[in-house]
Amino acid sequence: VFSNLMSGLVKCAACESPMIYRDRGPRSVPAFRCSGERNGVCHNNTKIHYPDLEQAVVKWAEFFEPAPQPMDEPAVEALAFAERKRSELLQV
């Protein structure tokens, strides 16, 4: 069970320690915080609000689409032949 989409993926830009997800209930905003800063070994005290980060990642993912793989010439010809054959059969 994951409490957030970025579980185990977010790291501190300053020390590369894992960022910890903190949710203190309905009166606060869930956020990521450097685990090294909490342990006193990092100076990065930035808190990243989780809802903003999640919204940005989801918006990015909606527009991400891998480039189509190019088809080789025999495959293109075979597909065209199959489509012509199908059209002929549907007309009968």
Side-chain angles (χ1 to χ4, degrees), residues 7-8 11 17 34 36 39-40 44-46 63 85 92:
S7 182
K11 293 187 178 185
S17 294
C34 176
N39 296 328
N44 182 7
N45 62 356
T46 303
F63 293 106
K85 191 70 171 169
V92 174

Side-chain angles (χ1 to χ4, degrees), residues 23-84:
D23 185 357
R24 296 183 179 248
R27 290 187 169 180
S28 70
V29 177
F32 280 107
R33 185 174 171 192
C34 176
S35 62
E37 191 269 335
R38 288 197 55 192
N39 296 328
V41 295
C42 181
H43 65 279
N44 182 7
N45 62 356
T46 303
K47 293 179 180 125
I48 302 169
H49 288 181
Y50 178 76
D52 298 336
L53 178 62
E54 181 183 62
Q55 183 180 19
V57 169
V58 169
K59 190 176 251 187
W60 172 82
E62 287 175 350
F63 293 106
F64 176 74
E65 186 175 327
Q69 296 294 322
M71 293 180 65
D72 59 346
E73 193 63 33
V76 172
E77 289 177 17
L79 179 59
F81 175 77
E83 287 174 344
R84 282 193 305 272

